[in-house]
Amino acid sequence: PAATIGGTLACGFSGPRRPYAGSARDMVLGMRILNGQGEILRFGGQVMKNVAGYDVSRLMVGALGTLGVLLEVSLKVLPRPDSTVTLVWPMDPVTAVQRMNDWAGQPLPLSATAYDGEHLYIRLSGTGSAVRAAQTRLGGERLPDAEAAAFWVALREQRNDFFQGDAPLWRLAVAPATPPLPLGDQTLIEWGGGQRWLRGALDATALRQLAAEHGGHATLFRGGNRRGEVFHPLAPPLLAIQQRLKAAFDPRGILNSGRLYATL
């Protein structure tokens, strides 16, 4: 309840709608920041048609305040859909991943997908006629509207049972078509298969290697050993770019130094 727009953007958080409507970064039009030298800088604008140049404002999304303090942001907003329906099926993990990917390639008004290990949840959003046609085509059991709304909010805010407890929480970003990974039973799949949440004391090196093999990366999102690196190691060229960005915006290293990586 105490979340802020600035905190959401600094952390780069996107909800269940992300694969179908874009990420938090995609909604940023412009930004005013305070850099590590005490300078107030403005990037981007307040309208969709913007000036050309480096899109520095979006660079701040997910930087965790390491490049600047966010003072003001301009965001693109979209109207709420006319109609929203959530459908659910009991399903095994392999079939669930296949269904999410098959449906993503079809002209369906998808706005969220999730698999909790036993059930596949699909949210449809759009015009009433489009949602009704998709519902008839897909079948499944419709969740009552209040229950469906509560489900997606709990997933976005990590309030459901899966996210409770003290076990380390890992976040894997992989290619959506990646089959279920052999990582135990405590897995939750979102974003059409592209985001996998894992609970447990897993080996960081092995987990990150597995994620890399499937075109992705692994982050120790919460809990576990916070003294080491929590983000997936960067390739040397990418790390060099990050270090140069840090030096340009915060040459004295006073803004959350070490928050992303020990050398940043």
Side-chain angles (χ1 to χ4, degrees):
T4 65
I5 290 291
T8 299
L9 295 177
C11 294
F13 286 153
S14 300
R17 202 181 298 268
R18 187 254 181 268
Y20 314 102
S23 68
R25 176 179 287 108
D26 297 327
M27 302 299 152
V28 174
L29 299 176
M31 211 174 262
R32 189 166 62 94
I33 72 161
L34 178 70
N35 70 5
Q37 301 182 78
E39 300 170 324
I40 294 179
L41 308 176
R42 183 182 291 275
F43 304 99
Q46 295 180 315
V47 294
M48 286 294 295
K49 187 174 182 180
N50 230 325
V51 295
Y54 294 110
D55 202 351
V56 176
S57 55
R58 295 189 184 187
L59 186 67
M60 301 293 158
V61 181
L64 296 173
T66 59
L67 301 178
V69 179
L70 309 188
L71 302 178
E72 180 183 294
V73 298
S74 297
L75 298 174
K76 175 177 69 174
V77 294
L78 301 172
R80 289 181 179 273
D82 292 335
S83 177
T84 297
V85 167
T86 295
L87 306 174
V88 60
W89 299 260
M91 201 169 292
D92 63 89
V94 173
T95 304
V97 172
Q98 290 175 344
R99 290 281 178 87
M100 285 188 280
N101 279 270
D102 289 344
W103 290 339
Q106 300 177 25
L108 296 169
L110 296 175
S111 64
T113 53
Y115 179 71
D116 64 2
E118 296 181 352
H119 295 86
L120 173 63
Y121 297 83
I122 298 291
R123 187 174 66 190
L124 304 170
S125 300
T127 63
S129 58
V131 169
R132 286 191 297 272
Q135 181 181 357
T136 301
R137 177 178 174 182
L138 296 179
E141 177 186 352
R142 177 174 178 174
L143 284 186
D145 291 346
E147 183 180 344
F151 172 82
W152 295 111
V153 169
L155 180 62
R156 184 191 69 199
E157 303 294 331
Q158 298 188 354
R159 295 176 185 163
N160 56 22
D161 291 341
F162 176 84
F163 292 102
Q164 307 311 308
D166 299 326
L169 176 64
W170 286 88
R171 176 181 180 268
L172 270 66
V174 296
T178 300
L181 301 174
L183 297 168
D185 298 329
Q186 288 189 291
T187 305
L188 188 150
I189 303 176
E190 281 192 275
W191 294 5
Q195 179 165 264
R196 316 281 172 100
W197 296 99
L198 310 173
R199 297 304 302 263
L202 304 170
D203 181 81
T205 301
L207 188 58
R208 284 169 172 152
Q209 181 178 348
L210 182 63
E213 290 173 356
H214 292 281
H217 53 84
T219 301
L220 180 55
F221 193 84
R222 187 164 62 240
N225 178 18
R226 313 302 295 183
R227 291 172 294 181
E229 298 285 12
V230 298
F231 290 97
H232 199 100
L234 292 174
L238 293 178
L239 180 59
I241 292 173
Q242 292 274 28
Q243 289 171 332
R244 291 199 296 271
L245 285 169
K246 177 67 172 176
F249 284 94
D250 183 26
R252 298 184 182 180
I254 64 173
L255 298 176
N256 274 359
S257 289
R259 181 62 181 84
L260 283 174
Y261 293 94
T263 59
L264 294 176

